[in-house]
Amino acid sequence: MKFGTSGLRGLSVDLEGPVSGAYAAAFGRYLLESGQAKQGSEILLAKDFRPSSPAIASNCSAALSGLGFRVVDCGELPTPALALYGLKRGAASLMVTGSHIPADRNGIKFYRPDGEIDKQDEQAISALAAKGSEVGPTSHAPADHSRECLALFRDRNIALLPQNALEGLRIGVYQHSTVARDLLVDVLRFYGADVMALGRSQTFIPVDTEAVSADTINALRQWSAELELDAIVSADGDGDRPLVADEAGIPLRGDLLGLIAANFLGADVVVTPVTSNSGIEAAGSFAVTRTRVGSPYVIAAMQEAVAAGRHGVMGFEANGGVLTASDFQVNGQVFRALPTRDCFLPILAVLALRVDRGLPLSKIAAQFALPIAASDRLENFPTETSAALMAHLRADRGNLESFLEPIGPIKETSDIDGLRVALVDGRIIHFRPSGNAPEMRCYVEAKDASAADALLRAGLERIGQWAHEYGGVAAR
């Protein structure tokens, strides 16, 4: 088991065993020992649609109940809905989800009563889990608060825009197996859009909004052409990362969605990881802070801005998930801070801009004139191999120059998270091991789409070649 960029992750077969209960119990003990909860306190529990999630949730429920917590079952719903309900009730919570990764893996996201756990919390929970201890038997069946939890989140989202704000738009919702699928249809229809539910699946489909698969893009293109859609929207497995495709079925980059959300909110401070587009600083009137990849780092930087007296503080990740650390005035109402990733805010902000400008989404995206960015990953890439590659590239400038010789000469490098390299000709290539899966990621920027695609292919090929020479790794 390992904490990554967003929660605990591991193989489903392992998490279905005692280990999930051990980590849930460790989290419960941490809350009790730190004074953030006491015996008899509520603790919320929700899950995604992965086949392993019910068993894992049951293990967590039993462990927490055995510690004296009153477990509240919030059902299958988006992670931001669970987080919002936890903030309202002042209760800690757990979300059983592997987000966008394949179904043979799963995970748990942990929330204190005041929001997401941070890196120090992760270390404390891991230490307690390593010690282990006995917990008592389950003392009660969880109360069902799934309707109340979902209703609170729905109310938040139907207050963002004026009534019938999306009237006249034809929008597809790619439902697949995301827990956001029904609520997306409901909210968009509330705003007057003509909504078509597409691709609902009873089998779990991992949708990575930061690296959309070719099969998914082909499906989006086909639906857009056949149904004459203005947009297609979707989300990852637990509904905290948005996917928005334009009128041709081409996905918009997540950092563009975050930028549009920042302008929609009128943000004063934007926090975003180093992997987000380098053109963001010049694309708004806000100050920008760059961080490492992962919501804990974005949240920490947002909290620092708030502590320094800044207002209008929000953040987003390259995957499009938007977080708010300040309250904002939106549509004549107070939009309360929710410092965890949310897919609904950016989706609604983009669709509202589509109506406001009266232009296809492809043209709106082009108006931002951001550098063309692309990203992808090599899957089934052993973590020890990615660590060895990064150590090799960092060890000596000559190693990096030799590695990039087929691609281009180096101008400068950044080591905030992974290794980000600015080339002499202005292109950018960034190598970074995934923080929550055996994957090696590559991010690029170039002057046009063909140059970005070529650079991305070249970067992935170099990684694959090095891995093969290093130890015969077969990555894809």
Side-chain angles (χ1 to χ4, degrees):
M1 298 298 102
K2 178 183 176 183
F3 278 101
T5 53
S6 180
L8 183 75
R9 295 285 170 84
L11 293 174
S12 296
V13 66
D14 293 335
L15 281 162
E16 287 179 295
V19 68
S20 53
Y23 270 91
F27 178 52
R29 291 198 300 273
Y30 175 64
L31 293 172
L32 296 172
E33 292 175 6
S34 62
Q36 298 179 71
K38 58 185 179 180
Q39 285 200 341
S41 292
E42 281 187 343
I43 192 162
L44 314 181
L45 183 61
K47 57 186 179 294
D48 67 11
F49 286 131
R50 290 166 191 271
S52 61
S53 291
I56 297 169
S58 178
N59 292 344
C60 293
S61 177
L64 292 165
S65 178
L67 287 171
F69 286 96
R70 288 186 294 115
V71 179
V72 174
D73 182 8
C74 292
E76 296 159 327
L77 41 68
T79 294
L82 177 69
L84 182 69
Y85 196 59
L87 288 174
K88 179 184 178 183
R89 298 185 72 86
S93 55
L94 298 84
M95 178 72 185
V96 177
T97 180
S99 186
H100 61 283
I101 60 178
D104 65 340
R105 302 179 182 94
N106 211 327
I108 308 172
K109 294 180 179 179
F110 299 93
Y111 288 80
R112 304 179 311 233
D114 62 346
E116 277 193 43
I117 63 171
D118 59 26
K119 290 300 178 181
Q120 289 183 331
D121 297 327
E122 290 177 1
Q123 293 173 3
I125 294 165
S126 294
L128 287 168
K131 290 180 181 178
S133 71
E134 295 294 325
V135 296
T138 301
S139 59
H140 73 285
D144 184 355
H145 284 210
S146 54
R147 289 186 179 181
E148 296 90 335
C149 185
L150 193 62
L152 180 68
F153 191 58
R154 180 184 188 275
D155 289 346
R156 173 184 176 84
N157 288 294
I158 64 173
L160 263 178
L161 306 177
Q163 190 173 10
N164 297 320
L166 304 181
E167 192 170 11
L169 292 186
R170 288 174 58 84
I171 303 172
V173 174
Y174 175 33
Q175 293 195 305
H176 61 95
S177 48
T178 174
V179 287
R181 59 190 181 187
D182 293 325
L183 188 59
L184 279 171
V185 172
D186 179 22
V187 168
L188 295 175
R189 284 179 176 163
F190 173 85
Y191 285 121
D194 182 10
V195 181
M196 278 138 280
L198 307 168
R200 191 181 184 94
S201 175
Q202 297 304 312
T203 302
F204 186 83
I205 299 174
V207 172
D208 186 347
T209 66
E210 201 172 357
V212 184
S213 70
D215 288 343
T216 297
I217 292 175
N218 288 337
L220 297 174
R221 286 176 169 173
Q222 184 174 349
W223 286 324
S224 295
E226 291 178 352
L227 301 173
E228 298 181 343
L229 301 173
D230 295 300
I232 298 178
V233 303
S234 189
D236 65 337
D238 67 319
D240 68 349
R241 305 179 182 204
L243 174 63
V244 178
D246 66 17
E247 71 284 355
I250 305 302
L252 303 183
R253 278 190 55 86
D255 44 20
L256 175 59
L257 307 184
L259 172 59
I260 291 172
N263 289 331
F264 172 81
L265 293 173
D268 295 320
V269 177
V270 168
V271 178
T272 194
V274 66
T275 50
S276 292
N277 196 288
S278 63
I280 287 168
E281 278 79 352
S285 58
F286 39 71
V288 178
T289 299
R290 295 281 182 165
T291 72
R292 295 181 62 184
V293 174
S295 56
Y297 300 109
V298 174
I299 293 168
M302 291 195 304
Q303 290 172 339
E304 289 176 6
V306 171
R310 303 299 299 270
H311 300 281
V313 180
M314 60 85 70
F316 61 84
E317 298 189 65
N319 55 48
V322 171
L323 314 87
T324 50
S326 301
D327 294 343
F328 288 88
Q329 282 290 136
V330 182
N331 192 31
Q333 301 183 57
V334 176
F335 187 67
R336 298 294 182 189
L338 182 59
T340 197
R341 281 193 306 258
D342 174 24
C343 79
F344 280 79
L345 169 57
I347 286 173
L348 293 174
V350 170
L351 296 177
L353 186 62
R354 165 68 179 81
V355 172
D356 182 59
R357 294 193 180 178
L359 294 172
L361 284 179
S362 62
K363 292 189 175 182
I364 291 174
Q367 287 178 341
F368 281 88
L370 295 174
I372 301 301
S375 63
D376 205 344
R377 72 274 174 87
L378 294 178
E379 298 177 285
N380 302 316
F381 198 93
T383 55
E384 59 272 18
T385 305
S386 60
L389 172 59
M390 299 309 295
H392 172 74
L393 297 180
R394 290 183 173 121
D396 182 82
R397 173 79 174 212
N399 290 352
L400 181 60
E401 289 176 346
S402 176
F403 184 82
L404 291 175
E405 184 176 2
I407 295 174
I410 300 166
K411 179 181 179 182
E412 58 186 12
T413 63
S414 169
D415 207 15
I416 292 178
D417 193 353
L419 193 59
R420 189 174 180 86
V421 181
L423 301 173
V424 170
D425 60 9
R427 295 177 298 163
I428 293 174
I429 187 164
H430 184 170
F431 304 107
R432 176 182 164 272
S434 172
N436 51 35
E439 299 172 351
M440 187 69 191
R441 293 182 177 267
C442 182
Y443 311 81
V444 302
E445 290 185 17
K447 62 182 179 180
D448 57 49
S450 61
D453 289 342
L455 180 58
L456 181 60
R457 288 196 303 273
L460 293 171
E461 287 173 4
R462 286 299 294 128
I463 296 170
Q465 289 168 0
W466 189 92
H468 179 72
E469 294 168 2
Y470 174 75
V473 176
R476 57 183 176 86

